[in-house]
Amino acid sequence: MKDQLEKIKKDALEALNKIKDIDALKNLEVKFLGRKGLLTNLLRGVKDLSPAEKPLIGKLSNTIKVDLEQAFATLGQKFETEKLEKELKKDFFDTTIPGTARPLGHIHPLSQVQEEVERIFNQMGFAIMDGPEVESEYYNFEGLNIPKDHPARDMQDTFFLKDKNDKDHGRMVLRTHTSPVQVRTMEKYGAPLRVIVPGRVFRYEATDASHDTTFYQVEGLLIDKNISLSHLKGVMAEFLTRLFGKPVKVRFRPGYFPFVEPGLELDFSCLLCGEKGCRVCKHTGWIEFMGAGMVHENVLKAGGVDPKEYQGWAFGFGLTRLVMMRYGIDDIRLLTNGDQRFIKQF
Ligand code: DAH
């Protein structure tokens, strides 16, 4: 039996030497080591051997089996490697070349500044409100104490929607300012409240470097007991100081808006020249920033707030203008015309 084992080993190794491909290798493996293979068959006779022979033959056959298995595996591996190398040569792919980077978008400068404005007012306890861009005539005008046929409507000549009618609140209009959200907020939350409303607004406007039909505003509204304009001055000075990162002063001038009484315009000190006067502040030392005032009692009533118990102030400034000031952009149209060469600079 020993000789038979040695012969199987010899035959197997000789046959292995002649093998040229993986299929032949597999067949050969079955022939010698398979369940009905030569070696397996021979080993079935081990149980009939004498007790003296059994361990010797057992050991030998095991060694031969392991040796053969190893020989088959080594050759198999060699074939696999050759196959891979051949494929690689055929279809060369350099795995060390860096991939193509996809262009990444980024936050629009208008949104960047809006987020900053929201963060600062949030820190001062203001909530962020939103309102519809397609607004009813009522909220955009009447609710804000701008009656029909009032000349103040000419200040905000605008786009009306042809077919859309809001049953109770008149025709629909692309809102001309963020102020309609004042009444909506009071209706929804009552007093006291503190909100800002950033948003997109629309005007029927001949466009030029400083006018566009679409732009962005931020509305502010604070309603509480014993509120005066000194609170507004403090809040705005603090807001602008945090926004610009240096001390900013504010001043009031009288101004007219139908939804406030008294109404005012707020300017802030020119940071470029330190109030000495320069081109940016038109040699006045101050920059015109926003309209504001004490909320008109008709507006409080429209929002369902009792003017005898509560009062407050409101303001509205141009977010678009703020972005233009901050980055020295001299044409408003650049911000919304989608020109990548411009927008990629931020
Ligand atoms: N809505 C005004 C506009 O678009 C700006 C404004 C002025 C808002 C005075 C206010 C305000 O809240 O009190 O021109």
Side-chain angles (χ1 to χ4, degrees):
M1 187 144 179
K2 190 174 166 229
D3 296 341
Q4 273 171 305
L5 275 172
E6 297 286 6
K7 185 168 184 303
I8 285 180
K9 183 179 174 183
K10 201 172 139 249
D11 289 349
L13 291 178
E14 265 174 27
L16 215 50
N17 268 337
K18 293 186 195 126
I19 291 295
K20 296 246 155 40
D21 63 77
I22 194 117
D23 290 334
L25 178 73
K26 278 196 179 131
N27 288 337
L28 196 69
E29 194 170 0
V30 173
K31 183 176 164 199
F32 283 95
L33 300 174
R35 221 155 33 86
K36 290 180 180 158
L38 293 171
L39 185 65
T40 324
N41 273 341
L42 187 67
L43 292 182
R44 286 207 177 97
V46 171
K47 62 178 193 309
D48 305 322
L49 293 174
S50 68
E53 263 181 326
K54 236 190 221 168
L56 289 176
I57 295 297
K59 201 170 163 199
L60 179 67
S61 57
N62 234 340
T63 322
I64 286 175
K65 193 169 172 228
V66 171
D67 285 353
L68 285 184
E69 276 170 358
Q70 211 150 48
F72 276 102
T74 310
L75 192 61
Q77 214 142 52
K78 197 180 138 219
F79 284 146
E80 288 288 345
T81 316
E82 279 171 6
K83 194 174 144 208
L84 269 179
E85 275 168 357
K86 226 194 253 161
E87 265 168 30
L88 271 179
K89 258 185 217 140
K90 198 169 61 190
D91 243 339
F92 179 72
F93 177 73
D94 187 348
T95 52
T96 64
I97 293 175
T100 5
R102 289 189 182 279
L104 275 185
H106 69 287
I107 312 259
H108 192 282
L110 271 166
S111 307
Q112 287 181 28
V113 176
Q114 180 181 327
E115 277 173 20
E116 240 177 282
V117 169
E118 289 181 4
R119 184 175 50 82
I120 296 170
F121 274 102
N122 246 193
Q123 288 167 346
M124 294 196 272
F126 285 75
I128 317 295
M129 264 301 273
D130 215 355
E133 290 173 357
V134 179
E135 185 55 282
S136 70
E137 214 176 354
Y138 168 75
Y139 282 114
N140 198 78
F141 296 117
E142 280 104 83
L144 290 166
N145 198 36
I146 316 175
K148 277 211 168 66
D149 306 319
H150 191 281
R153 284 216 183 179
D154 295 346
M155 286 159 64
Q156 302 187 352
D157 194 6
T158 193
F159 304 104
F160 284 89
L161 273 74
K162 230 181 180 167
D163 313 316
K164 239 180 159 179
N165 277 292
D166 187 273
K167 256 190 245 97
D168 307 319
H169 290 150
R171 287 188 295 168
M172 300 301 280
V173 60
L174 293 189
R175 67 175 177 190
T176 57
H177 49 182
T178 41
S179 304
V181 190
Q182 286 188 29
V183 176
R184 285 182 176 277
T185 309
M186 286 187 276
E187 279 178 349
K188 191 161 180 193
Y189 296 112
L193 60 83
R194 255 187 252 189
V195 293
I196 61 159
V197 187
R200 182 156 56 167
V201 302
F202 311 86
R203 302 262 170 104
Y204 178 66
E205 200 89 70
T207 55
D208 61 28
S210 47
H211 297 88
D212 206 347
T213 52
T214 301
F215 56 99
Y216 292 77
Q217 288 188 332
V218 177
E219 193 79 14
L221 177 67
L222 184 146
I223 310 278
D224 212 325
K225 291 182 174 164
N226 305 315
I227 291 301
S228 77
L229 288 175
S230 62
H231 297 121
L232 174 64
K233 212 168 193 177
V235 164
M236 290 316 290
E238 182 62 22
F239 161 65
L240 291 163
T241 297
R242 288 194 199 178
L243 184 72
F244 291 118
K246 358 180 176 172
V248 181
K249 284 188 273 182
V250 299
R251 73 172 187 189
F252 292 159
R253 282 178 295 114
Y256 172 71
F257 300 96
F259 29 93
V260 279
E261 181 60 38
L264 57 94
E265 308 257 358
L266 182 144
D267 305 337
F268 65 83
S269 51
C270 182
L271 296 167
L272 274 181
C273 62
E275 288 165 72
K276 283 191 197 72
C278 67
R279 242 188 43 188
V280 170
C281 60
K282 297 188 194 119
H283 305 282
T284 63
W286 294 87
I287 299 204
E288 288 180 23
F289 183 55
M290 67 177 202
M294 296 303 290
V295 180
H296 196 287
E297 74 167 87
N298 288 349
V299 178
L300 291 172
K301 282 181 193 158
V305 170
D306 181 0
K308 291 203 181 65
E309 204 182 342
Y310 287 101
Q311 61 284 136
W313 40 252
F315 64 78
F317 66 80
L319 183 68
T320 307
R321 253 198 76 221
L322 188 61
V323 173
M324 290 171 75
M325 273 188 313
R326 159 166 271 197
Y327 296 115
I329 298 165
D330 56 11
D331 193 328
I332 189 172
R333 293 165 294 191
L334 287 167
L335 281 164
T336 42
N337 72 0
D339 190 334
Q340 293 271 328
R341 291 168 304 178
F342 168 78
I343 220 72
K344 272 186 178 159
Q345 300 173 59
F346 297 92

